[in-house]
Every structure is written in C-alpha cells, then in structure tokens.
Amino acid sequence: AQKVTQAQTEISVVEKEDVTLDCVYETRDTTYYLFWYKQPPSGELVFLIRRNSFDEQNEISGRYSWNFQKSTSSFNFTITASQVVDSAVYFCALSEAGGGNEKLTFGTGTRLTIIP
Amino acid sequence: DAGVIQSPRHEVTEMGQEVTLRCKPISGHDYLFWYRQTMMRGLELLIYFNNNVPIDDSGMPEDRFSAKMPNASFSTLKIQPSEPRDSAVYFCASSLVGLNNEQFFGPGTRLTVL
C-alpha cells in the first residue's frame, strides 16, 4: 500500500529564512508520481509540482526547489528567502501508475507560518 | 478560463437531512475526483470518474454516500441521511489525462451537520 509521511506538523520561521519541508513515501511500484500542493488560508488546493519516479533531477522554480532522492524515498521541498505569502499548509502526495491502483494519496500536511 | 466550480460553498444542515454537493469540472477534463478533508483523517479520495463513469468508489465511507456524473460538465455528491461526523470540507477536482497528472481543485464546500 502506498503511504506518504510528513513528519513536520507545523513549522514557523522568520521571513527571509530558508525552510525545508520533508516528505517520505512508501510504495511497491517502480513507476509512481510525486506531487506537492499548497493550501493557503483561503482553503483552495494549488498544484506546485509533479515528479515521476524516473526523473531524479532536482527542480528549481524561483524561490522553490525540490529534492527527489529514491535512495531515501524522499521528496523534500525547500523555500528560499521565505515570504509571508508562503504561509500555508503544504501537502505531499503520491500516486502509483497503473495496476488499477492509481489513487492520489496525500500526506497529513505541514503547516508553515512565516513570521514577518 | 473558469476553474472547477463547486456549490454551495457552505452548507449547514441538521442530522438526518439529505445533502447534495455539486461540481462543474474544467471543460475538456476527462477525470473528476471527490475528496473529503477533515482534521482527523486529512485529505481522502472518495470516488473518481473517467469520462463520466465511476472508476473507483472504494473511498466512499458508507452507503449513505453516493455520487453521480450524468454528463461531462456536472457531478453530484449526495449524503442521505447526513450525520454530524460527515462535517468536513468536500473538494472536487478535475484533470485532463488522469490521476498521474495535475489535478485542479475547486474551492471546496464546507459542510456542517448539526
């Protein structure tokens, strides 16, 4: 069964600090997809990134970067020079490809608070 | 382009009443998903459709829950009878290709069952 663990329930940092959100996953499939979503205080879920299991290259998008390491089954998310607008709950998610088991399983989320 | 549209945004009802949540996916999207979010259980997939056909409803908590998608632009999630433990935020999402691609979420319906 697939599982996503976000051990950090809540994190608070001062504005402009860097922060890393951890995500550890479990799956028996060799082909799978990993996602990060952001849920700001307004409540909607916003897609941030998708990664497939065959692409371990790190990705950078502005102040956001993602570190995918299959050896440790981790897909961590770093925000550089954090801003107050980054305050939100961040969810890591996993889906296994094919085999009739393509459910998107979410972690429990990490609530990030950026202190001005 | 309009995103995923959900109605109502808030619903307060009394135990035992029927509740119907509505969703309009993004035009052209083949997949539609219903999720429930609670503090205790987080985000759970309830059911998803492909081309209006239910594919997996194993996440539906019990027979009191039912979902339909009569056409490509409309889906409903019905709870009958509702119970206080059904109180949650219900999200609808749609995607163009499938589960392994970006899902676009609606704003959610906050349901409170008294």
Side-chain angles (χ1 to χ4, degrees):
Chain A
Q2 57 193 49
K3 183 180 179 181
V4 176
T5 301
Q6 295 180 257
Q8 304 151 308
T9 304
E10 295 189 28
I11 300 176
S12 295
V13 299
V14 177
E15 194 173 20
K16 298 184 183 177
E17 289 185 352
D18 300 347
V19 59
T20 296
L21 309 182
D22 297 333
C23 173
V24 175
Y25 62 91
E26 295 177 26
T27 177
R28 287 177 289 188
D29 275 17
T30 56
T31 304
Y32 52 89
Y33 297 82
L34 295 162
F35 302 78
W36 277 95
Y37 281 83
K38 173 181 179 180
Q39 187 174 38
S42 53
E44 74 276 19
L45 281 149
V46 179
F47 168 84
L48 296 178
I49 190 172
R50 178 186 77 126
R51 216 65 179 147
N52 74 59
S53 53
F54 299 108
D55 184 1
E56 281 193 78
Q57 284 191 346
N58 292 335
E59 179 152 344
I60 298 174
S61 176
R63 296 184 297 106
Y64 295 173
S65 62
W66 290 269
N67 183 1
F68 177 26
Q69 291 194 340
K70 291 177 75 171
S71 61
T72 55
S73 297
S74 65
F75 186 44
N76 297 337
F77 172 32
T78 297
I79 302 174
T80 303
S82 60
Q83 300 177 3
V84 173
V85 293
D86 297 326
S87 296
V89 180
Y90 291 86
F91 292 94
C92 182
L94 164 74
S95 69
E96 296 169 340
N101 185 27
E102 298 181 356
K103 295 181 181 181
L104 190 61
T105 299
F106 284 87
T108 51
T110 296
R111 181 177 299 278
L112 176 64
T113 302
I114 308 300
I115 303 166
Chain B
D1 289 339
V4 175
I5 299 172
Q6 290 187 248
S7 64
R9 294 293 308 275
H10 301 273
E11 176 81 25
V12 180
T13 190
E14 293 187 348
M15 183 173 63
Q17 296 297 306
E18 176 179 297
V19 175
T20 299
L21 311 181
R22 297 172 176 79
C23 174
K24 177 179 169 56
I26 293 173
S27 178
H29 281 193
D30 301 322
Y31 285 78
L32 183 139
F33 311 85
W34 282 101
Y35 291 89
R36 178 172 68 175
Q37 185 177 33
T38 62
M39 289 295 294
M40 292 296 295
R41 300 177 66 88
L43 269 162
E44 306 172 276
L45 177 66
L46 300 177
I47 184 171
Y48 76 93
F49 296 82
N50 177 21
N51 291 323
N52 314 336
V53 176
I55 303 300
D56 186 344
D57 65 354
S58 59
M60 297 284 263
E62 46 196 278
D63 292 344
R64 298 184 297 106
F65 286 69
S66 63
K68 294 182 180 179
M69 192 166 185
N71 57 62
S73 60
F74 183 66
S75 177
T76 60
L77 178 67
K78 185 177 294 186
I79 308 173
Q80 166 64 19
S82 58
E83 297 182 2
R85 60 192 169 124
D86 301 331
S87 297
V89 179
Y90 291 82
F91 287 101
C92 176
S94 68
S95 72
L96 186 56
V97 177
L99 279 163
N100 297 317
N101 282 290
E102 175 185 357
Q103 294 183 23
F104 294 81
F105 282 77
T109 295
R110 181 173 296 277
L111 173 65
T112 302
V113 183
L114 303 174

